[in-house]
């Protein structure tokens, strides 16, 4: 529901969105043999992930808080990516915790964003299970503050996207280093 709030907000602000839900988009466990050539794994779900990530000017990474961090499913998806897939892209980070809204998932994702040379925007949106109400069989976000925060985060993401719009490397005369690693 939090992801849906963010998606709708981005659309209202003029963005086109594509939601990749890892419950439905099942990915194989990352295979180290393909590290550095992520397009090689034969599984079409990986190819589809790469295609959609590469088509995106910006991304929102959202996860439940699992044991004080983000989910293993999201980490596995991110491990299928290479730095080139994320470098220079603005990222917004969201997390939902059980009892209390907690920044742990988003904060840990910020470190991963840095490793992939992404630009995580400062604002995050976090919720807890209690922020949602079931109305007419559907979950709704009950906290106005959450909605206001999501709007501010989405505005910041689109602002960063305009400012840091990725240009092809050769168009700006910057050659990528021969070997890059997270640090
Ligand atoms: C394995 C597991 C670990 C969890 N650990 C935490 C936690 O450390 N802190 C927390 O606030 N909630 C924790 N929760 C609760 C979930 O964050 C919360 O119920 C979840 O965000 C609901 O979304 P979901 O149904 O998409 O998983 C945990 C849930 C699971 C399944």
């Amino acid at each position: 529901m939090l992801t849906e709030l963010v998606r709708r907000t981005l659309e209202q602000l003029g963005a086109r969105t594509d939601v990749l839900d890892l419950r439905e988009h099942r990915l194989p466990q990352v295979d180290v043999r393909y590290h550095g050539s992520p397009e090689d794994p034969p599984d079409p779900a990986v190819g589809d992930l790469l295609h959609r990530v590469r088509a995106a000017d910006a991304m929102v990474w959202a996860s439940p808080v699992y044991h004080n961090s983000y989910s293993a499913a999201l980490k596995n998806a991110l491990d299928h990516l290479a730095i080139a897939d994320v470098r220079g892209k603005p990222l917004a980070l969201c997390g939902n915790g059980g009892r209390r809204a907690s920044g742990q998932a988003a904060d840990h994702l910020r470190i991963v964003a840095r490793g992939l040379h992404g630009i995580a925007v400062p604002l995050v949106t976090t919720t807890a299970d209690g922020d949602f109400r079931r109305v007419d069989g559907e979950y709704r976000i009950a906290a106005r503050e959450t909605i206001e925060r999501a709007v501010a985060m989405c505005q910041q993401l689109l602002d960063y996207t305009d400012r840091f719009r990725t240009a092809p490397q050769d168009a700006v005369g910057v050659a990528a280093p021969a070997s890059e690693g997270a640090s």
Side-chain angles (χ1 to χ4, degrees), residues 38-87:
E39 48 284 326
D40 288 347
D43 193 312
V46 178
D48 188 45
L49 169 77
L50 295 176
H51 175 73
R52 290 162 71 175
V53 165
R54 288 170 186 172
D57 293 320
M59 284 188 274
V60 178
W61 294 351
S63 172
V65 179
Y66 282 172
H67 300 326
N68 283 358
S69 190
Y70 59 94
S71 73
L74 180 53
K75 184 64 164 72
N76 186 52
L78 297 174
D79 286 346
H80 279 289
L81 306 179
I83 289 172
D85 299 319
V86 182
R87 184 197 293 120

Side-chain angles (χ1 to χ4, degrees), residues 23 63-69 96-100 102 104 129:
R23 274 180 308 191
S63 172
V65 179
Y66 282 172
H67 300 326
N68 283 358
S69 190
N96 179 73
R99 290 210 195 125
R100 280 183 300 157
S102 143
Q104 285 159 331
D129 289 354

Side-chain angles (χ1 to χ4, degrees), residues 1 21 26 29 31 54 57 75 91-92 101 104 110 114 142 181:
M1 190 60 232
D21 183 342
R26 297 281 168 156
Q29 190 166 343
D31 186 334
R54 288 170 186 172
D57 293 320
K75 184 64 164 72
L91 309 167
Q104 285 159 331
R110 191 173 295 278
R114 180 165 69 77

